[in-house]
């Protein structure tokens, strides 16, 4: 059973556009929600993360919006650039004892056209 | 360079064979996690070790096993390989035994092709 659902699978935007990637989770025990960025031939790299006590977090051009009641969170990339073209993964984890792994969404391939 | 080193980068082997993938965590990190990445299943958690002890197990097949050595490097052993085991295998490390606020640091992966 997939516990984190991510959409869309792929996304094409023009340079300067604001791509939005959405994720929904099922397990209300999740309390840590990171986003990872992966370039071809590389491992995923942590981009930004949020905990459910805040509704929004910004780091540079990247913003996470979090809706605890809807069990949804999303990544917005402001003023997107061709260098942002990559695959983006949302993930979730529980900080309680016995839960150490990240559960990932299936990824969104973003292409930013110059 | 993330600081997590995985070897080899590529591996081609035949069905039924056994391979060993190696991971050296970032300096100071005690936890090592193994993930399998395939096109249809995405990133799937396999297993985690913390300071030499197994801490969590995910969707790891019985044909697969892992260990973490006293110098903290880890090896993932895959045996009786099948075509469906072809995938990217990632190792990640973290300072503590849980994710914390800084997530994982991933290596660049080992691409396994079973023919």
């Amino acid at each position: 059973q997939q516990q984190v659902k991510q959409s869309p699978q792929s996304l094409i935007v023009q340079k300067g556009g604001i791509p939005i990637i959405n994720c929904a989770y099922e397990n209300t025990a999740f309390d840590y929600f990171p986003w990872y960025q992966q370039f071809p031939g590389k491992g995923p790299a942590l981009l930004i993360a949020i905990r459910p006590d805040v509704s929004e977090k910004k780091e540079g051009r990247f913003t996470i919006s979090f809706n605890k009641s809807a069990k949804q969170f999303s990544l917005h990339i402001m003023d997107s650039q061709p260098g942002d073209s990559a695959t983006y993964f949302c993930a979730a984890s529980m900080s309680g004892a016995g839960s150490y792994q990240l559960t990932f969404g299936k990824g969104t391939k973003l292409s930013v056209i110059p | 360079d993330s600081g997590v080193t995985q070897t080899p980068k590529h591996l081609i082997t035949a069905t039924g064979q056994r391979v060993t993938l190696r991971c050296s965590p970032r300096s100071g990190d005690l936890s090592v996690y193994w993930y399998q990445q395939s096109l249809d299943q995405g990133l799937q958690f396999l297993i985690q070790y913390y300071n030499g002890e197994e801490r969590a197990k995910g969707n790891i097949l019985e044909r697969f096993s892992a260990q973490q050595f006293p110098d903290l490097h880890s090896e993932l052993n895959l045996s009786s390989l099948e075509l469906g085991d072809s995938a990217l295998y990632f190792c990640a490390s973290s300072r503590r035994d849980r994710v914390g606020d800084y997530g994982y640091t991933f290596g660049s992966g080992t691409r396994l092709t079973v023919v």
Side-chain angles (χ1 to χ4, degrees):
Chain A
Q1 180 186 10
Q2 183 188 3
Q3 295 187 343
V4 179
K5 294 185 178 179
Q6 183 172 347
S7 63
Q9 281 189 323
S10 62
L11 192 52
I12 300 173
V13 299
Q14 296 276 352
K15 177 184 173 182
I18 306 176
I20 301 172
I21 305 170
N22 300 299
C23 284
Y25 63 97
E26 300 164 3
N27 191 339
T28 54
F30 286 145
D31 61 0
Y32 174 74
F33 302 90
W35 285 88
Y36 281 80
Q37 179 189 56
Q38 185 179 26
F39 292 105
K42 301 291 186 182
L46 179 65
L47 198 57
I48 186 173
I50 198 169
R51 292 197 182 270
D53 52 345
V54 298
S55 60
E56 187 176 276
K57 183 174 181 180
K58 292 182 181 180
E59 285 188 7
R61 296 184 294 107
F62 300 93
T63 298
I64 299 179
S65 297
F66 187 83
N67 186 329
K68 188 175 180 179
S69 60
K71 294 187 286 185
Q72 295 175 347
F73 57 111
S74 59
L75 177 70
H76 298 62
I77 305 175
M78 305 302 176
D79 187 28
S80 58
Q81 301 296 313
D84 296 330
S85 297
T87 300
Y88 292 81
F89 294 92
C90 62
S93 178
M94 294 177 277
S95 58
S99 299
Y100 306 98
Q101 68 266 29
L102 285 169
T103 299
F104 283 88
K106 290 199 171 182
T108 297
K109 186 173 182 180
L110 172 66
S111 299
V112 181
I113 301 171
Chain B
D1 182 11
S2 68
V4 178
T5 304
Q6 287 189 250
T7 57
K9 290 192 183 302
H10 302 276
L11 200 49
I12 302 176
T13 189
T15 55
Q17 294 298 304
R18 172 190 169 96
V19 297
T20 298
L21 312 183
R22 183 188 169 104
C23 169
S24 294
R26 255 185 351 167
S27 177
D29 286 357
L30 299 178
S31 265
V32 170
Y33 310 80
W34 286 97
Y35 280 79
Q36 180 191 58
Q37 185 176 36
S38 59
L39 282 175
D40 57 342
Q41 293 295 323
L43 277 157
Q44 296 286 312
F45 171 72
L46 296 178
I47 198 165
Q48 179 210 354
Y49 279 83
Y50 175 75
N51 205 18
E53 295 184 359
E54 181 183 306
R55 276 301 177 97
K57 233 173 185 178
N59 301 318
I60 188 166
L61 299 172
E62 285 190 9
R63 300 183 285 109
F64 296 0
S65 65
Q67 54 183 328
Q68 186 179 28
F69 295 87
D71 66 352
L72 301 177
H73 90 272
S74 177
E75 293 181 355
L76 178 67
N77 300 298
L78 315 176
S79 61
S80 302
L81 285 168
E82 301 174 359
L83 296 177
D85 297 327
S86 297
L88 266 170
Y89 291 84
F90 284 105
C91 166
S93 71
S94 67
R95 189 70 42 127
R96 297 169 59 196
D97 59 346
R98 59 198 63 202
V99 172
D101 287 333
Y102 299 100
Y104 300 158
T105 301
F106 279 86
S108 293
T110 293
R111 181 174 292 280
L112 173 66
T113 302
V114 182
V115 298

